DNA sequence: TGCGGTGAATTTTTT
DNA sequence: ATTCACCGCA
């Protein structure tokens, strides 16, 4: 039976001694807390739920609690289990605990994300899950590739039942801590009745590959704890105190994991905010936090409601929006900050206009010509609902030379990086089947589907890894055609690179360049005709630069696995653009919230798929967005927006109707046509509020222009919507998404007859045409 | 196997 | 619009 390594027991112990000596006097840090925070820190024993609203000093309370646990001698640093969701949060917490202790908190080995802690635990108990302790962790790509093979083997029509769907179903089961044998009969019909069976096969395959996916990290540990009480007890005793951040985002597996670990002493402190639960679509269960008092009878509930971040107007707006949600534990944020600016609201003609206005507004705000203090670019954040909204701002800011940074999908997540990493993984360990599979035919080597299956078959029947199977299949002349010539070369190359790597003959960067060049991978992109090839090569280049920071390949791959250095946003003088999800936990003196239109925000899909629950989650997202702002919060919407290449008109978000008018200032867009109507519109809304209170009515008003959209200030390629059909004239040049350019030859109601240059004469709905008077004949 | 054409899908994504 | 997957052909 495995037990704690000696190392663990001592890890942290040495710091403990040093830290103790350096600790600040107790009263010192406790006096810096408000009464609620202090209660949350001082109630050390038993279950406690800290309901911490946005900006109420939750991290401060949490870190002080850890310091207090150490200071009072309740636990040594390595006896505290502190769980976060992101590496960033873990890092910040470590840093702040260290600051409180006056020592770096490196001695807290169990402060980390759910996943990193589970990796640690699972490596130690891998055999109990049928794994070896050096198991690999699949990324989403590997997972999908594996599933596709299983789906194919099961003769399932991938068209009607995409493997992606199966991946989603399995993820969902894992989030609910369901192993294949525990999937309820209600779910038996999933994926054309084959879901459970394929899930079981998938788990078997993973075990054969000595691999796990992200969901498994939690699932395996929960299973181990459930089936090996002795192991569980060990950890129950070891982790004397448990702290959990962002509890509202835990899924069922995480919840069970925590409940098992806290089962003995019940010294568990969960911190969260039900109003900021925005990951329901990923399996998070708000119910976990709503149920806390039932799960842990006698639990203390502490509410942190004093907000140190935002002005009263901003808080009032946020509170009024979130009030629309039914299932809440209920909190009311307050602040003693001075009143400040009202929340600002503005409507625009279209998305481009919105981006243009925000760019200009930022320039005005940084120049201090808005009657406010001048803001630094680094103090401004733009928070959008979907990633594709980011582009409009990036484009606009690029062209006016406004410095910006995007926090979004990381470079490491891009295709070319994952390919490059797969190469490096295979070089480090040629028996990494999944990585090898990825690069086998990238670039094209004539080793496609057929060849791969043959090699896999060969490997499996001989009990070999894919790589050794490939070696054998060369010897037995298994393959024909191009692949037969290319495979031996690939094998000898990999052997050679692996040798160079293990002997550390050349610096890591040089090794990587050698691998990517000689394998033909770099060349593949150099020859690629697609426009993104250049950025992909750039991305590879910056990868090479990063590699210079590492001595050995193994060292780099370890770093990669932990992915700790979440290329944090530099806090320099740049406007930050990101999604609302990415913004959780952040704050900015000035925040822009564009794109508040029904369908986009709240997202149509969210509402379609999850109904009221979905809408409430979107509303929480709105709440998160508003509460990111410290001083100025500017919300905007556009009447027209291009969605998936099609122009669509939209109504202002229903959340806009939920903003309290007393705390909102409606801005008038600049330009000739927009003037004045905006404020008239909101006056009218105020007057009619009691009679016509339905969102629909209000939005209808908005649609009729009473919000006062600004018109486009210059002739652009705006699509003419149905109301503007008259603007087409005979002979006018137009553009159609599908048929290209043409000239108008007839008009009938909302249909326009167009003689297209390439596609002949067709009658099309005016809505799909755009004026193209700037295109020469 | 590899291409070029066609059609369908397209949020959010801490690990 | 853009990407991705699939189909049919060389």
């Amino acid at each position: 039976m495995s037990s704690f390594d000696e190392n663990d027991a001592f890890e942290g112990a040495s710091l403990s001694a040093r830290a103790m000596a350096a600790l600040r006097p107790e009263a010192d840090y406790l006096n810096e807390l408000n009464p609620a925070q202090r209660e949350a820190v001082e109630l050390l024993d038993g279950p406690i739920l800290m309901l911490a609203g946005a900006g109420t000093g939750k991290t401060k309370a949490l870190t002080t609690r850890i310091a207090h646990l150490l200071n009072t001698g309740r636990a040594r640093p390595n006896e505290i289990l502190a769980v976060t969701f992101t590496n960033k949060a873990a890092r910040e917490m470590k840093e702040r605990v260290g600051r409180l202790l006056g020592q770096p908190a490196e001695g807290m080995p169990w402060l980390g994300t759910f996943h990193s802690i589970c990796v640690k635990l699972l490596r130690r108990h891998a055999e109990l899950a049928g794994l070896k302790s050096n198991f690999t962790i699949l990324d989403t790509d590997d997972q999908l590739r594996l599933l596709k093979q299983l789906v194919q083997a099961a003769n399932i029509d991938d068209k009607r039942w995409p493997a992606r769907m199966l991946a989603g179903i399995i993820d969902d089961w894992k989030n609910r801590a369901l192993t294949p044998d525990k999937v309820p009969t209600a779910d038996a019909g999933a994926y054309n009745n084959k879901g459970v069976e394929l899930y079981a096969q998938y788990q078997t395959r993973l075990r054969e590959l000595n691999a796990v996916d992200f969901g498994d990290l939690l699932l395996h540990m929960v299973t181990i704890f459930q089936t090996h009480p002795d192991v569980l007890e060990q950890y129950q005793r070891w982790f004397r105190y448990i702290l959990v951040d962002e509890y509202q985002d835990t899924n069922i597996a995480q919840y069970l994991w925590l409940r098992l670990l806290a089962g003995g002493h019940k010294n568990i402190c969960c911190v969260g905010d039900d109003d900021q639960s925005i990951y329901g679509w990923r399996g998070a269960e708000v119910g976990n936090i709503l149920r806390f008092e039932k799960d842990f009878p006698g639990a203390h509930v502490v509410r942190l409601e004093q907000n140190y971040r935002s002005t009263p107007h901003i808080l009032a707006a946020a509170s009024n929006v979130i009030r629309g949600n039914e299932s809440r534990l209920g909190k009311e944020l307050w602040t003693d900050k001075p009143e400040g600016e009202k929340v600002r609201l503005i409507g625009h003609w279209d998305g481009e206009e919105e981006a243009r206005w925000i760019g200009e507004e930022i320039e005005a705000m940084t120049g201090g010509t808005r009657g406010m203090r001048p803001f630094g670019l680094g103090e401004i954040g733009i928070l959008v609902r979907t990633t594709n909204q980011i582009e409009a701002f990036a484009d606009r800011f690029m062209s006016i030379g406004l410095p910006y940074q995007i926090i979004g999908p990381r470079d490491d997540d891009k295709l070319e990086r994952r390919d490059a990493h797969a190469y490096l993984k295979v070089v480090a360990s040629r028996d990494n089947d999944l990585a090898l599979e990825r690069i086998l035919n990238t670039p094209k080597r004539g080793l496609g589907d057929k060849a791969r299956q043959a090699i896999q078959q060969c490997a499996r029947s001989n009990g070999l890894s894919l790589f050794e199977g490939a070696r054998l299949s060369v010897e037995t002349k298994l393959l024909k055609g191009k692949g037969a010539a290319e495979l031996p070369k690939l094998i000898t190359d990999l052997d050679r690179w692996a040798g160079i790597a293990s002997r550390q003959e050349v610096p890591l960067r040089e090794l990587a360049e050698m691998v990517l060049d000689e394998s033909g991978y770099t060349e593949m992109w150099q020859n690629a005709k697609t426009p993104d090839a250049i950025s992909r090569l750039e991305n590879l280049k910056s990868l090479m630069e990063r590699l210079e920071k590492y001595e050995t390949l193994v060292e780099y791959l370890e770093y990669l696995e932990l992915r700790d250095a979440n290329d944090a946003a530099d806090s320099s003088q740049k406007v930050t653009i990101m999604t609302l999800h990415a913004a959780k936990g952040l704050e900015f003196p000035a925040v822009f919230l564009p794109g508040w239109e029904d369908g986009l925000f709240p997202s149509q899909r969210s509402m379609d798929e999850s109904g009221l629950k979905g809408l409430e989650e979107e509303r929480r997202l709105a709440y998160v967005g508003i509460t990111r702002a410290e001083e100025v919060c500017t919300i905007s919407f556009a009447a027209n927006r291009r969605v998936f290449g099609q122009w669509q008109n939209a109504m202002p978000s229903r959340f806009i109707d939920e903003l309290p008018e007393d705390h909102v200032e409606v801005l008038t867009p600049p330009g000739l046509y927009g003037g004045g109507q905006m404020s008239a519109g909101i006056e009218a809304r105020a007057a009619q509020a009691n009679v016509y209170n339905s969102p629909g009515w209000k939005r209808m008003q908005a649609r009729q222009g009473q919000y006062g959209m600004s018109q486009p200030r210059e002739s652009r390629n705006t699509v003419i919507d149905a109301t503007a059909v008259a603007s087409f004239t005979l002979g006018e040049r137009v553009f159609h998404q599908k048929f290209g350019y043409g000239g108008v030859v007839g008009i009938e109601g909302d249909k326009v007859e167009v003689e297209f240059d390439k596609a002949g004469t067709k009658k099309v709905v005016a809505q799909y045409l755009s004026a193209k008077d700037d295109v020469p004949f």
Side-chain angles (χ1 to χ4, degrees), chain A residues 597-656:
Chain A
E597 295 128 40
D598 252 40
L600 177 62
F601 186 43
S603 134
Q604 192 59 50
R605 183 159 163 186
S606 211
M607 294 185 291
D608 288 348
E609 283 177 4
S610 314
L612 184 62
K613 254 183 110 178
L615 177 62
E616 294 209 335
E617 182 152 315
E618 296 286 312
R619 191 176 279 118
R620 291 192 290 266
L621 212 41
Y623 175 80
V624 167
I626 297 169
T627 54
R628 295 312 95 193
E630 294 170 1
E631 297 168 49
V632 186
C633 178
T634 310
I635 295 171
S636 59
F637 57 92
N640 298 284
R641 190 176 293 278
R642 204 157 45 168
V643 183
F644 298 136
Q646 289 282 339
W647 282 95
Q648 290 186 349
N649 53 26
M651 287 187 273
S653 169
R654 65 194 71 190
F655 299 149
I656 285 176

Side-chain angles (χ1 to χ4, degrees), chain A residues 378-397:
Chain A
E379 293 183 306
I380 299 172
I382 300 176
L383 316 183
V384 296
R385 176 62 183 85
T386 64
T387 35
N388 58 0
Q389 288 171 262
I390 292 174
E391 199 188 346
F393 293 99
D395 282 357
R396 182 64 197 157
F397 295 173

